[in-house]
Amino acid sequence: MTTLSLRALNRALMDRQFLLGRTDRTPLEVIGRLVALQAQEPNWAYVGLWSRIHAFTQPELTALLEDRQVVRSGLLRSTQHLAAADDFRRLRPLLQPVLDRTAGSPHFTRNSTGLDAASLVAEGLGLLAGGTLSRKELARRLAERHPGRDGRILAGEVELRTPLVHGAATGAWGSWGNRSAVSVTPAEVWLGQPMATAATATAAKDSAKELIRRYLAAFGPAGVKDVQAWCGLTRLGEVVAEMRAELRRYSGPDGRDLIDLADAQLPDPETLAPVRLLPAFDNALLGHADRTRVISNEDRKRVMPGQAQVRPTFLVDGCVHGTWSLDTGTLWLTPFRPLRATDRAALEQEADRLLQFVGGRVVSYSDPVAAQPS
């Protein structure tokens, strides 16, 4: 069994994420390849596509949202994602147990003690009446019906337990951060067709196999724990065991078993990886349990300091080398260690390109000393 180095895994990830070279594929094709695009704060998804697609512009994604070809809703790991409409229709039912698990956490159950979950969902859908409400209005109406309970938490539980899609304006390019006005619509109404169902255990397992194939195409080679960390599902080892005949096996640098699609090509580990600026919550950083192929454990603490934060980063030679931020028109670069002169020049070039995309004015370093060429 072939053993893959950390560098080989890095180059495979960079290649499959369109980070070794920008692609000419359409935004819809790229979102489909990534399965779903992390989108907790709407603007970051646009930056994620900019980093992967030649000449990408904001109106391209906004049009997909307005045409309902792409939807924004809770999906992987119970977090907000953009997904192709048909992928969402098929994947949300498979991932529903993950969202139900989140809805059963103390944050929600403390507020809904004594309420039946199915009845709460039915009540929420009844208030929506096959149409659209703002989150605030749904919360207000639920609070009216349940005095003494937090309507916002009740509305959040409804959104987790049944697929509600956010209006196109919620996911459109605009102000940074979370939007104060979020509208929700039952997914079947928004999509104009019913959600897919897995009528039998065999059908559910087949759906899980397809999800694993899609994951490997975008993040492989990887281990079972990596797949589970990415999607939130558990006990996928049993499913992978049934797929052994169609998968290629590798050994990781730490001796772990890794799997990949049998026909997936691995780039030469010596392939040059260009400097890239990634958005907050980027898929490339969140696709594995073991993220050392793209970020060291030491740097991970700086990028993911807790409280669900994943800061924007920049890659040098395929790995996280620092963070960046926007503040009143300035794009600030914060290297974690000194940059070589050639890497600094490449970083500044890429930052200038991003500056044009986000409408900033100047690129600067938050720590000029650390930014000095080594």
Side-chain angles (χ1 to χ4, degrees), residues 4 32 34 46 71 87 90 94 115 121 138 141 146 158 164 171 217 220 225 265 269 273-274 279 289 313 343 373:
L4 298 177
L34 301 178
Y46 288 79
V71 299
D87 281 343
R90 292 184 294 107
L94 174 67
L115 293 181
V121 168
L138 179 60
R141 295 187 187 186
H146 301 282
V158 170
L164 301 182
K225 289 183 179 179
Q265 300 298 309
T313 59
D343 292 333

Side-chain angles (χ1 to χ4, degrees), residues 18 77 93 277 298 307:
F18 303 114
R77 304 181 301 280
L277 279 82
E298 177 186 358
Q307 297 182 325

Side-chain angles (χ1 to χ4, degrees), residues 219-332:
F219 296 93
V224 173
K225 289 183 179 179
D226 294 317
V227 188
Q228 294 182 160
W230 168 75
C231 68
L233 292 171
T234 58
R235 299 181 180 179
L236 291 181
E238 303 168 13
V239 181
V240 168
E242 293 186 11
M243 300 173 66
R244 289 292 183 184
E246 67 174 270
L247 300 175
R248 182 180 299 173
R249 293 182 62 204
Y250 294 102
S251 178
D254 57 359
R256 288 190 309 133
D257 283 344
L258 304 178
I259 54 173
D260 200 8
L261 299 173
D263 59 353
Q265 300 298 309
L266 299 180
D268 184 336
E270 298 309 311
T271 303
L272 295 178
V275 168
R276 286 288 181 262
L277 279 82
L278 301 183
F281 311 106
D282 192 78
N283 290 36
L285 269 65
L286 299 176
H288 303 84
D290 178 1
R291 299 168 184 169
T292 53
R293 69 185 68 198
V294 66
I295 183 170
S296 70
N297 289 327
E298 177 186 358
D299 289 346
R300 181 173 173 174
K301 296 173 185 176
R302 301 176 180 182
V303 173
M304 306 169 194
Q307 297 182 325
Q309 294 184 70
V310 182
R311 292 170 175 156
T313 59
F314 62 83
L315 307 181
V316 174
D317 194 28
C319 293
V320 171
H321 199 99
T323 58
W324 63 273
S325 60
L326 282 171
D327 182 25
T328 59
T330 299
L331 194 159
W332 293 98

Side-chain angles (χ1 to χ4, degrees), residues 40-364:
Q40 276 95 322
E41 298 178 13
N43 280 8
W44 292 125
Y46 288 79
V47 176
L49 291 175
W50 172 87
S51 69
R52 291 167 166 87
I53 301 174
H54 284 296
F56 170 75
T57 62
Q58 292 96 335
E60 292 178 84
L61 177 55
T62 300
L64 291 174
L65 289 162
E66 291 173 344
D67 294 343
R68 305 190 182 189
Q69 295 183 66
V70 167
V71 299
R72 182 179 192 261
S73 184
L75 197 61
L76 301 166
R77 304 181 301 280
S78 300
T79 56
Q80 303 303 322
H81 281 75
L82 298 184
D86 194 53
D87 281 343
F88 178 78
R89 190 180 70 84
R90 292 184 294 107
L91 294 178
R92 173 64 188 249
L94 174 67
L95 297 168
Q96 189 58 51
V98 181
L99 290 98
D100 287 340
R101 189 167 68 234
T102 301
S105 65
H107 173 73
F108 294 97
T109 56
R110 280 195 298 264
N111 188 63
S112 58
T113 302
L115 293 181
D116 175 69
S119 297
L120 177 63
V121 168
E123 190 172 33
L125 290 174
L127 291 170
L128 286 162
T132 299
L133 285 178
S134 69
R135 270 181 175 168
K136 289 181 179 178
E137 181 61 15
L138 179 60
R140 186 188 69 79
R141 295 187 187 186
L142 286 169
E144 280 183 350
R145 294 189 173 209
H146 301 282
R149 301 180 193 268
D150 190 324
R152 292 171 301 173
I153 298 177
L154 291 176
E157 183 173 347
V158 170
E159 194 170 336
L160 284 167
R161 292 193 182 276
T162 192
L164 301 182
V165 172
H166 298 168
T170 302
W173 177 263
S175 60
W176 293 90
N178 288 313
R179 304 291 153 81
S180 58
V182 178
S183 64
V184 293
T185 307
E188 294 190 351
V189 174
W190 186 264
L191 298 173
Q193 57 182 318
M195 300 294 283
T197 58
T200 66
T202 299
K205 189 169 289 185
D206 287 343
S207 295
K209 289 178 181 178
E210 181 58 25
L211 182 67
I212 291 166
R213 294 185 192 103
R214 297 280 300 278
Y215 168 81
L216 292 173
F219 296 93
V224 173
K225 289 183 179 179
D226 294 317
V227 188
Q228 294 182 160
W230 168 75
C231 68
L233 292 171
T234 58
R235 299 181 180 179
L236 291 181
E238 303 168 13
V239 181
V240 168
E242 293 186 11
M243 300 173 66
R244 289 292 183 184
E246 67 174 270
L247 300 175
R248 182 180 299 173
R249 293 182 62 204
Y250 294 102
S251 178
D254 57 359
R256 288 190 309 133
D257 283 344
L258 304 178
I259 54 173
D260 200 8
L261 299 173
D263 59 353
Q265 300 298 309
L266 299 180
D268 184 336
E270 298 309 311
T271 303
L272 295 178
V275 168
R276 286 288 181 262
L277 279 82
L278 301 183
F281 311 106
D282 192 78
N283 290 36
L285 269 65
L286 299 176
H288 303 84
D290 178 1
R291 299 168 184 169
T292 53
R293 69 185 68 198
V294 66
I295 183 170
S296 70
N297 289 327
E298 177 186 358
D299 289 346
R300 181 173 173 174
K301 296 173 185 176
R302 301 176 180 182
V303 173
M304 306 169 194
Q307 297 182 325
Q309 294 184 70
V310 182
R311 292 170 175 156
T313 59
F314 62 83
L315 307 181
V316 174
D317 194 28
C319 293
V320 171
H321 199 99
T323 58
W324 63 273
S325 60
L326 282 171
D327 182 25
T328 59
T330 299
L331 194 159
W332 293 98
L333 299 169
T334 306
F336 292 158
R337 59 194 64 85
L339 292 155
R340 295 182 304 174
T342 53
D343 292 333
R344 174 176 171 139
L347 174 62
E348 291 173 0
Q349 252 187 354
E350 188 73 355
D352 280 335
R353 294 190 196 102
L354 178 59
L355 201 65
Q356 297 173 38
F357 182 79
V358 300
R361 295 191 300 273
V362 65
V363 174
S364 190

